[in-house]
């Protein structure tokens, strides 16, 4: 069983279903459009901000504001890529064709992650430049200190969110269950935990909060986050590894269904 | 060749497959027969390494399934659940299967042609009828030109022409020297295609014989008698030491005594007969008899029947009535 064959086969699978196109294009459009909108609004609001807020003003991070919503489409992409196998019963055909379950899972994740990476990176650069366009005089330049790191990091963040979702879906199998947990978690719960002072210290170790640190260039005043941009992305990567490892172990042990 | 040795599968408390040992040989069609819930599909999934056996072992051409390099070129299977993404075309479904096992793309077109789906190759699978879905599954099984083929209830959803086609296909695959293993819960279907028969009930092996041997052993011949003078005839038979049992529609059935002898006994007492005909129990009945025994065996252990066994008994009863 050559891994190259399986990777090709997974590529055929992913390009031959409509959900790939609509989830990824939604991620692109929502991230960019919302990023541009919030950048434009922020520019108009800048003069009304207090001195503290003006000092913390981070044009790069603001242009990534659409990520909070766009990542949900990335989550749907990651969940569907894996859970489609189970909801359609295709998993039996897949594992009969590729009985080495590790080869099957990692080929699938490699293909879907590579696609998420390309789309995520392109989205990240586009959202940065278009966002800066909206910010006018307040704009950051790609050459400024830490900006390129933030933009590349934005692409990595989107990729890791997708991969995390794939790992969770590999554990839970059902698309409804996976989305029912991941969507509210990333859209609501994580934000609530991160903004309530009692849970803030725990909240910032959640995958999205730790990971999104990489998109910041200006550190907010009085910031006491115990990790830097790459440290945050590292924390997120640990979550991803845990989810994928869990998915692999369960796939290996369970009957195919 | 497929070899099972003490193969067992338990789902929680439920024993779906119970210590099965048999071999499926090349060059013939082996029928795998059992009532609903007997464990046929579960056995087939274990052969493909999809479900992990609780105990025992199964080998395909002497090897564990997960050690086969490009398994689709060794064994092709049509499973019970279709396993096709509804939004993907038939062509792309077969294409990803082919690519995963290094099978040339030309085979995709060949098998689509063979099963008669070329015209709808680019259509999404969700628009397919039951029979078209079944044909796509058969195309997938044939894709790698494998030496072993396994079909789980292949005639499901096929029209008479399709059924004829699949029978012919299975026979010709066996004639080419391939191993053909096909499940069904209809004895009549098996009688037309299978050379060898493996019968299971409640997950246990009930028979592993050639088709001819199975018919010889399990079919019962008896004489059906119809008379308006029931009591008089029973007396006459009783005096001669012959026992009769009630048959369908008020007839009597006599085992082990030739029709001639029954006719003479009746004539001696002046009993009028409306029918006196030697009967051969159908294969379906022979199969029923065999699986019913497995149910009785369980019932006699004294424990209350688990729901599955009750179901199987009802299944048997409804067959006898029909
Ligand atoms: N994944 C599973 N989890 C729990 N029980 C199962 C599972 N798969 C099968 N069973 C049970 O195992 C038994 C055997 O089922 P199986 O599907 O193998 O029978 P079958 O012979 O194929 O029946 P049919 O003719 O209806 O297709 C049944 O009682 C079924 O309920
Ligand atoms: Mg079945």
């Amino acid at each position: 069983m050559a891994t190259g064959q399986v990777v090709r086969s997974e590529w055929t699978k992913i390009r031959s279903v409509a959900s790939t196109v609509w989830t990824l294009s939604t991620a692109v459009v929502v991230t960019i459009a919302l990023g541009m909108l919030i950048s434009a609004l922020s520019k108009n609001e800048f003069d009304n901000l207090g001195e503290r807020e003006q000092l913390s003003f981070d044009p790069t991070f603001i242009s990534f504001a659409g990520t909070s919503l766009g990542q949900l489409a990335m989550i749907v992409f990651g969940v569907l890529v894996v859970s489609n196998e189970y909801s359609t019963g295709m998993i039996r055909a897949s594992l009969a064709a590729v009985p080495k379950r590790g080869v099957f899972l990692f080929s699938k994740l490699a293909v879907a992650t590579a696609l998420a990476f390309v789309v995520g990176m392109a989205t990240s650069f586009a959202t940065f430049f278009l966002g800066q366009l909206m910010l006018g005089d307040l704009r950051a330049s790609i050459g400024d200190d830490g900006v390129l790191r933030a933009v590349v990091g934005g692409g990595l963040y989107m990729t890791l969110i997708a991969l995390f979702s794939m790992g969770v879906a590999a554990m839970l199998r059902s698309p409804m269950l996976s989305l029912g947990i991941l969507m509210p978690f990333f859209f609501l719960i994580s934000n609530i935990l991160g903004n309530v002072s009692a849970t803030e210290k725990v909240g910032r170790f959640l995958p999205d909060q730790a990971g999104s640190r990489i998109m910041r260039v200006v550190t907010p005043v009085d910031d006491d986050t115990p990790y830097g941009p790459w440290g945050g992305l590292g924390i997120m990567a640990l979550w991803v590894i845990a989810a994928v490892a869990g998915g692999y172990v369960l796939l290996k042990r369970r009957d195919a269904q | 060749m497929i070899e099972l040795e003490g193969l067992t599968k338990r789902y929680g408390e439920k024993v779906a497959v119970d210590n099965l040992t048999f071999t499926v040989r090349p060059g013939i069609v082996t029928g795998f027969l059992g009532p609903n819930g007997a464990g046929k599909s579960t056995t087939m999934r274990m052969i493909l390494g999809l479900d992990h056996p609780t105990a025992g072992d199964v080998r395909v051409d002497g090897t564990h399934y997960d050690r086969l390099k490009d398994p689709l070129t060794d064994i092709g299977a049509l499973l019970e659940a279709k396993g096709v993404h509804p939004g993907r075309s038939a062509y792309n479904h077969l294409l990803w299967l082919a690519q995963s096992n290094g099978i040339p793309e030309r085979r995709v077109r060949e098998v689509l042609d063979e099963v008669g789906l070329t015209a709808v190759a680019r259509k999404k699978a969700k628009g397919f009828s039951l029979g078209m879905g079944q044909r796509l599954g058969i195309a997938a099984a044939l894709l790698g030109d494998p030496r072993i083929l396994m079909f789980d209830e292949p005639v499901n959803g096929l029209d008479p022409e399709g059924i004829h086609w699949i029978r012919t296909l299975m026979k010709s695959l066996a004639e080419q020297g391939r191993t053909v293993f096909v499940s069904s819960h209809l004895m009549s279907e098996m009688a037309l295609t299978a050379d060898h028969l493996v019968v299971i009930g409640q997950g246990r092996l009930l028979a592993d014989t050639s088709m001819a041997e199975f018919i010889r052993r399990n079919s019962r011949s008896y004489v059906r008698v119809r008379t308006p003078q029931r009591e008089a005839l029973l007396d006459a038979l009783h005096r001669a030491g012959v026992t009769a049992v009630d048959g369908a529609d008020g007839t009597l059935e006599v085992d082990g005594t030739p029709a001639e002898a029954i006719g003479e006994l009746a004539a001696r007492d002046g009993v009028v007969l409306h029918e006196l005909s030697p009967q051969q129990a159908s294969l379906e009945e022979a199969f029923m008899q065999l699986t019913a025994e497995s149910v009785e065996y369980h019932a006699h252990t004294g424990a209350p029947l688990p729901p599955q066994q009750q179901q199987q008994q009802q299944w048997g009863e409804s067959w006898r009535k029909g």
Side-chain angles (χ1 to χ4, degrees):
Chain A
M1 172 103 340
T3 307
Q5 293 173 4
V6 184
V7 168
R8 258 186 89 197
S9 148
E10 287 298 331
W11 171 244
T12 299
K13 277 186 192 172
I14 210 167
R15 70 168 175 76
S16 60
V17 290
S19 61
T20 305
V21 176
W22 69 253
T23 49
L24 290 178
S25 53
T26 304
V28 175
V29 171
V30 168
T31 307
I32 294 176
L34 191 62
M36 287 171 74
L37 180 69
I38 290 180
S39 299
L41 293 175
S42 302
K43 175 179 185 274
N44 294 338
E45 280 296 302
F46 185 78
D47 292 335
N48 304 334
L49 293 178
E51 194 189 348
R52 225 176 108 100
E53 276 93 5
Q54 287 193 346
L55 278 175
S56 300
F57 193 83
D58 186 344
T60 310
F61 192 64
I62 285 168
S63 65
F64 283 114
T67 310
S68 60
L69 210 53
Q71 68 179 353
L72 298 185
M74 271 300 188
I75 291 170
V76 179
F77 166 73
V79 164
L80 289 186
V81 159
V82 173
S83 64
N84 267 343
E85 290 273 350
Y86 294 96
S87 59
T88 62
M90 221 166 76
I91 187 70
R92 284 180 176 156
S94 295
L95 291 181
V98 186
K100 302 239 177 356
R101 296 186 178 193
V103 174
F104 161 72
L105 182 66
F106 291 115
S107 299
K108 179 181 283 298
L109 297 194
V111 168
T113 305
L115 189 56
F117 175 79
V118 171
V119 172
M121 210 48 95
T123 306
S124 192
F125 276 91
T127 203
F128 171 77
F129 286 114
L130 291 170
Q132 301 316 306
L133 211 63
M134 295 290 125
L135 282 162
D137 300 337
L138 300 170
R139 69 172 170 269
S141 157
I142 191 80
D144 293 351
D145 232 16
V147 170
L148 185 60
R149 180 258 299 153
V151 176
V152 169
L156 293 176
Y157 175 85
M158 291 287 242
T159 311
L160 288 175
I161 279 284
L163 185 52
F164 181 72
S165 309
M166 293 175 217
V168 171
M171 289 193 276
L172 299 178
R173 298 186 280 192
S174 148
M176 283 306 134
L177 186 61
S178 308
L179 290 175
I181 289 175
L182 288 172
M183 301 282 262
F185 180 82
F186 282 116
F187 198 59
L188 292 173
I189 299 169
S190 171
N191 279 326
I192 294 167
L193 290 180
N195 287 324
V196 176
S197 52
T199 52
E200 192 188 5
K201 292 208 154 43
V202 184
R204 60 191 175 203
F205 287 100
L206 293 174
D208 57 332
Q209 303 221 3
S212 59
R213 172 88 184 175
I214 194 139
M215 290 176 271
R216 279 190 196 277
V217 175
V218 181
T219 314
V221 185
D222 296 342
D223 180 71
D224 63 347
T225 313
Y227 50 75
W230 290 109
L233 202 72
I235 292 169
M236 187 185 193
L238 290 177
W239 281 94
V240 172
I241 290 168
V244 170
Y248 170 70
V249 169
L250 287 174
L251 176 68
K252 202 77 178 156
R253 289 210 341 229
R254 284 192 293 224
D255 292 336
Q257 58 181 327
Chain B
M1 186 135 87
I2 308 172
E3 295 156 289
L4 289 77
E5 237 188 81
L7 196 66
T8 300
K9 179 66 182 181
R10 228 173 273 132
Y11 295 109
E13 287 295 290
K14 165 101 197 118
V15 183
V17 172
D18 194 354
N19 197 22
L20 282 188
T21 301
F22 64 86
T23 299
V24 186
R25 291 190 176 77
I28 53 171
V29 176
T30 301
F32 191 30
L33 201 59
N36 290 129
K40 304 179 295 292
S41 301
T42 304
T43 303
M44 289 184 158
R45 289 198 303 272
M46 285 194 282
I47 292 171
L48 297 177
L50 296 174
D51 285 29
H52 303 297
T54 309
D57 199 21
V58 53
R59 285 163 192 268
V60 174
D61 277 345
T63 316
H64 285 132
Y65 191 87
D66 64 358
R67 301 220 161 261
L68 295 171
K69 185 185 170 290
D70 300 331
L72 300 185
T73 61
D74 297 307
I75 172 168
L78 167 77
L79 289 181
E80 198 171 35
K82 293 291 91 57
V84 181
H85 190 296
R88 191 173 281 131
S89 69
Y91 189 91
N92 281 326
H93 175 68
L94 294 172
L95 181 61
W96 77 253
L97 278 169
Q99 288 171 335
S100 70
N101 276 244
I103 299 162
E105 192 168 345
R106 138 185 81 76
R107 279 295 295 163
V108 172
R109 281 182 291 271
E110 284 172 13
V111 292
L112 279 168
D113 212 38
E114 201 171 339
V115 302
L117 287 180
T118 305
V120 293
R122 298 289 178 178
K123 295 259 186 315
K124 287 181 179 173
K126 67 174 150 218
F128 281 18
S129 68
L130 197 57
M132 286 157 83
Q134 202 73 345
R135 284 165 188 268
L136 180 56
I138 291 165
L142 298 173
L143 192 61
D145 196 18
R147 291 183 311 284
I148 305 174
L149 287 127
M150 193 159 80
F151 301 105
D152 197 357
E153 311 211 6
V155 301
N156 265 3
L158 291 181
D159 54 19
E161 193 203 324
I163 293 176
H164 179 76
W165 165 72
I166 185 82
R167 276 185 203 142
T168 318
L169 175 72
M170 287 191 293
K171 283 186 190 158
S172 74
L173 289 168
E175 271 161 27
Q176 292 161 12
R178 299 180 213 248
T179 305
V180 182
F181 189 43
V182 52
S183 83
S184 175
H185 49 259
L186 292 179
M187 185 70 206
S188 50
E189 182 56 40
M190 288 294 92
L192 289 167
T193 37
D195 308 292
H196 194 89
L197 208 55
V198 173
V199 185
I200 63 169
Q202 306 281 316
R204 289 161 190 256
L205 189 68
L206 299 178
D208 178 6
T209 75
S210 74
M211 192 71 210
E213 174 75 4
F214 179 82
I215 294 169
R216 200 179 61 71
R217 284 234 184 143
N218 289 287
S219 62
R220 174 175 80 107
S221 45
Y222 61 96
V223 179
R224 187 160 73 200
V225 190
R226 215 142 50 84
T227 171
Q229 297 166 268
R230 188 184 147 86
E231 293 311 316
L233 179 65
L234 284 174
D235 272 355
L237 293 175
H238 184 71
R239 262 180 278 123
V242 176
T243 48
V245 296
D246 284 318
D249 302 328
T251 61
L252 292 169
E253 292 178 359
V254 181
D255 263 343
T257 308
E260 292 82 352
I262 297 167
E264 280 157 23
L265 285 171
R268 204 179 298 156
D269 283 20
V271 176
V272 174
L273 297 185
H274 287 172
E275 181 182 350
L276 178 65
S277 56
Q279 300 283 326
Q280 182 88 29
S282 73
L283 285 176
E284 213 69 62
E285 284 171 292
F287 168 51
M288 280 311 315
Q289 209 176 329
L290 189 65
T291 51
E293 273 162 22
S294 88
V295 174
E296 270 161 23
Y297 169 76
H298 285 283
H300 284 197
T301 57
L305 286 179
Q308 185 59 41
Q309 285 175 351
Q310 282 166 2
Q311 254 171 35
Q312 192 176 345
Q313 220 164 26
Q314 280 156 13
W315 180 83
E317 278 153 17
S318 70
W319 256 108
R320 263 181 229 123
K321 279 178 210 130

